[in-house]
């Protein structure tokens, strides 16, 4: 019926049902995960199984070792409550929108013209110049960054935004895609991700320390040597070895992200580029950098996944259109992007071995004399003539902006498109 409300139409679909990304939705679109959500169950098991072993074989025997006020029960209670806290942080990281930039329904007019006329010629008309693939955006500090157009999402991305080839979404302040949480880490869930990693480190240290304490009590009792005590409690040996290995991984990540927070960098920026000893345009000082992560409100999601959407038959089918440039160039861009994400994932697995071997950011100046950086805001498109360096030889499609998305963002709204 013409007068029927859209919400009453049984054929109407919600946003999550027509979502073009690779995300997995549950509870009617109320919960959003990445495409590799199954790996989340592995992470949960890696947390729960050791804690169950600890509670059954170690904490249970420590209950009566501190008779004053039955303080030994606190060891068991702390382990259970703190594990629950770690799992909550894990779900807060993996089960929400990390900062996805909404896709446009249509590409810009200039893009539509280039799609419909890839040779850029018109009968009886002067050929139109190709649409601008980049724009300049001025940061609050006065620094001008260049951002690029995203062919997939049909928007100019905000600064520090990247398109995740795994989730197939543009994510604000993209840090990395973490397979252990099955989700991208970005503007809206980075705080929870760091707290999860840091809390997991403390949990490993706690279990290791209590297991060692139990071995000491065994040695003070019937088992007078370390070897006899270890043979009596193999669970303690297993847990101590497990926690020792795990703490190098999560502890290394904690130290690494403490460095990133203190210098206001992202993992993507740090691993994709190399430093040249110059100042970071986003660095506001250590205290303000930490305050931006932990003492500011998390911006609301730009996507209402449960919203009723109308299916518009007149929408432009961008996927069926040829992309600007040759097929070979498009293939090279896609391959470079996927290889870059895979390289980042491999590098993250070795971060605990790197320790604090971190690079700073590289600067450049634009031809008009203003301080200018490439799309990441850290790394140069062109260095000043007195300090000129060659490019690292990588294509970057990371930091691009849509003026609509840009103005609505709590972080990006502070910037403006440079004239």
């Amino acid at each position: 019926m013409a007068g029927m409300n859209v919400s009453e139409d049984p054929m109407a679909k919600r946003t999550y049902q027509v979502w073009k990304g690779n995300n997995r939705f549950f509870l009617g679109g109320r919960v959003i995960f990445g495409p590799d959500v199954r790996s989340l169950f592995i992470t949960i098991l890696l947390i729960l199984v050791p804690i169950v072993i600890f509670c059954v074989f170690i904490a249970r025997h420590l209950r009566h070792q501190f008779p004053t006020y039955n303080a030994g029960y606190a060891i068991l209670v702390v382990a259970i409550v703190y594990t629950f806290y770690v799992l909550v942080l894990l779900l807060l990281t993996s089960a929400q929108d990390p900062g996805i930039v909404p896709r446009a329904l249509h590409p810009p007019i200039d893009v539509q013209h280039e799609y419909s006329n890839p040779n850029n010629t018109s009968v009886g008309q002067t050929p139109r110049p190709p649409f601008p693939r980049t724009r300049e955006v001025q940061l609050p500090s006065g620094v001008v960054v260049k951002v690029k157009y995203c062919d997939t999402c049909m928007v100019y991305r905000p600064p520090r935004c990247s398109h995740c080839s795994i989730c197939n979404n543009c994510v604000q302040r993209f840090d990395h895609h973490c397979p252990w949480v099955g989700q991208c880490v970005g503007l809206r869930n980075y705080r929870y991700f760091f707290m999860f990693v840091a809390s997991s480190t403390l949990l490993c240290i706690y279990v290791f320390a209590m297991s060692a304490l139990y071995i000491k009590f065994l040695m003070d009792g019937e088992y007078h040597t370390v070897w006899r005590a270890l043979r009596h409690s193999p669970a303690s040996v297993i847990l101590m070895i497990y926690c020792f290995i795990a703490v190098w991984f999560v502890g290394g990540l904690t130290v690494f992200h403490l460095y990133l927070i203190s210098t206001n960098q992202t993992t993507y920026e740090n691993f994709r580029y190399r430093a040249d000893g110059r100042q970071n345009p986003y660095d506001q000082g250590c205290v303000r950098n930490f305050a931006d992560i932990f003492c500011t409100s998390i911006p609301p999601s730009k996507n209402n996944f449960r919203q009723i959407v109308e299916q518009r038959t007149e929408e432009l089918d961008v996927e069926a259109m040829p992309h600007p440039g040759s097929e070979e160039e498009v293939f090279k861009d896609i391959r470079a992007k996927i290889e870059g994400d895979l390289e980042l994932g491999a590098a993250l697995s070795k971060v605990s071995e790197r320790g604090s071997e971190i690079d700073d950011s590289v600067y450049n100046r634009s031809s008009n004399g203003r301080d200018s950086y490439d799309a990441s805001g850290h790394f140069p498109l062109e260095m000043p003539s007195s300090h000129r360096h060659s490019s690292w030889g990588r294509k970057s499609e990371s930091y691009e902006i849509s003026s609509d998305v840009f103005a609505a963002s709590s972080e990006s709204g502070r910037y403006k498109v440079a004239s």
Side-chain angles (χ1 to χ4, degrees), residues 166 174-181 183-185 190 193 197 248-254 256-257 260 266-272 340-355 358:
I166 300 175
F174 178 75
D175 191 84
H176 69 287
H177 182 94
C178 181
W180 296 103
V181 303
Q183 181 65 282
C184 286
V185 178
Y190 180 80
F193 171 78
V197 173
W248 281 102
F249 178 71
V250 293
L253 280 177
T254 301
F256 175 64
H257 281 279
L260 293 181
T266 65
T267 302
Y268 186 87
E269 293 165 358
N270 185 269
F271 276 86
R272 287 283 289 185
D341 290 344
L342 292 176
E343 178 185 350
L344 174 59
L348 280 174
S349 65
K350 300 179 181 178
V351 67
S352 59
E353 301 176 4
R354 289 186 58 190
I358 309 298

Side-chain angles (χ1 to χ4, degrees), residues 270-309:
N270 185 269
F271 276 86
R272 287 283 289 185
Y273 301 93
R274 294 296 181 266
D276 198 28
R278 294 179 181 269
Q279 184 182 2
N280 181 347
Y282 297 101
D283 190 359
Q284 306 175 75
C286 184
V287 175
R288 292 194 61 182
N289 291 339
F290 272 91
D292 279 348
I293 297 295
F294 299 106
C295 301
T296 57
S297 59
I298 297 177
S301 173
K302 299 180 183 302
N303 303 280
N304 183 0
F305 298 109
R306 290 184 48 78
Q307 181 180 8
I308 299 293
V309 295

Side-chain angles (χ1 to χ4, degrees), residues 214-339:
Y214 180 55
I215 294 297
K216 180 181 182 304
F217 281 129
L218 290 176
M219 293 174 60
D220 293 339
E222 302 177 5
Y223 310 92
H224 302 292
T225 64
V226 176
W227 175 246
R228 294 181 61 187
L230 293 177
R231 288 187 61 184
H232 178 74
S233 178
S236 298
V237 179
I238 295 173
L239 287 177
M240 290 173 67
I241 295 175
Y242 178 85
C243 292
F244 180 80
I245 296 174
V247 79
W248 281 102
F249 178 71
V250 293
L253 280 177
T254 301
V255 173
F256 175 64
H257 281 279
L258 280 172
Y259 167 78
L260 293 181
I261 294 174
S262 66
T263 56
N264 203 345
Q265 294 186 69
T266 65
T267 302
Y268 186 87
E269 293 165 358
N270 185 269
F271 276 86
R272 287 283 289 185
Y273 301 93
R274 294 296 181 266
D276 198 28
R278 294 179 181 269
Q279 184 182 2
N280 181 347
Y282 297 101
D283 190 359
Q284 306 175 75
C286 184
V287 175
R288 292 194 61 182
N289 291 339
F290 272 91
D292 279 348
I293 297 295
F294 299 106
C295 301
T296 57
S297 59
I298 297 177
S301 173
K302 299 180 183 302
N303 303 280
N304 183 0
F305 298 109
R306 290 184 48 78
Q307 181 180 8
I308 299 293
V309 295
E310 294 185 39
Q311 298 299 312
R312 301 180 180 179
T313 57
E314 71 274 10
E315 285 187 5
L316 193 61
D317 189 0
V318 178
E319 296 181 358
M321 296 180 176
H323 288 275
S326 65
E327 294 182 1
E328 181 180 356
E329 292 177 350
V330 173
F331 174 76
K332 288 182 179 179
D333 289 342
I334 295 175
R335 183 176 61 182
K337 176 61 178 173
I338 295 177
E339 289 177 351

Side-chain angles (χ1 to χ4, degrees), residues 66-279:
F66 304 92
T68 305
Y69 302 108
N70 290 322
Y73 282 91
I75 297 176
L76 181 62
V77 172
V78 168
I80 296 174
V81 173
Y82 197 73
T83 301
F84 178 78
Y85 169 71
V86 171
L87 292 177
V88 169
L89 291 175
L90 174 61
L91 292 178
L92 287 174
T93 303
S94 61
Q96 66 170 320
D97 177 5
I100 299 174
V101 176
R103 301 189 182 205
L105 295 178
H106 300 285
I109 299 299
D110 291 338
V111 183
Q112 294 183 32
H113 173 79
E114 187 160 334
Y115 280 142
S116 60
N117 191 13
N119 293 326
N120 200 22
T121 58
S122 300
V123 178
Q125 296 182 4
T126 302
R128 295 179 59 181
F131 79 98
R133 306 295 296 182
T134 62
R135 288 183 179 177
E136 289 188 348
V137 177
Q138 185 175 351
L139 304 179
S141 59
V143 175
V144 175
V145 298
K146 288 186 177 181
V147 294
K148 296 181 180 179
Y149 176 78
C150 177
D151 290 301
T152 303
C153 299
M154 299 180 289
V155 297
Y156 286 90
R157 301 178 196 146
R160 313 185 81 179
C161 172
S162 178
H163 189 93
C164 175
S165 60
I166 300 175
C167 292
N168 196 25
N169 297 312
C170 285
V171 179
Q172 286 184 283
R173 202 185 184 277
F174 178 75
D175 191 84
H176 69 287
H177 182 94
C178 181
W180 296 103
V181 303
Q183 181 65 282
C184 286
V185 178
L187 176 65
R188 300 191 66 250
N189 63 350
Y190 180 80
R191 177 187 304 177
Y192 299 119
F193 171 78
F194 174 80
M195 294 173 64
F196 163 69
V197 173
S199 299
S200 298
T201 302
L202 295 178
L203 183 61
C204 288
I205 295 174
Y206 177 79
V207 173
F208 182 94
M210 292 300 104
S211 299
L213 180 64
Y214 180 55
I215 294 297
K216 180 181 182 304
F217 281 129
L218 290 176
M219 293 174 60
D220 293 339
E222 302 177 5
Y223 310 92
H224 302 292
T225 64
V226 176
W227 175 246
R228 294 181 61 187
L230 293 177
R231 288 187 61 184
H232 178 74
S233 178
S236 298
V237 179
I238 295 173
L239 287 177
M240 290 173 67
I241 295 175
Y242 178 85
C243 292
F244 180 80
I245 296 174
V247 79
W248 281 102
F249 178 71
V250 293
L253 280 177
T254 301
V255 173
F256 175 64
H257 281 279
L258 280 172
Y259 167 78
L260 293 181
I261 294 174
S262 66
T263 56
N264 203 345
Q265 294 186 69
T266 65
T267 302
Y268 186 87
E269 293 165 358
N270 185 269
F271 276 86
R272 287 283 289 185
Y273 301 93
R274 294 296 181 266
D276 198 28
R278 294 179 181 269
Q279 184 182 2

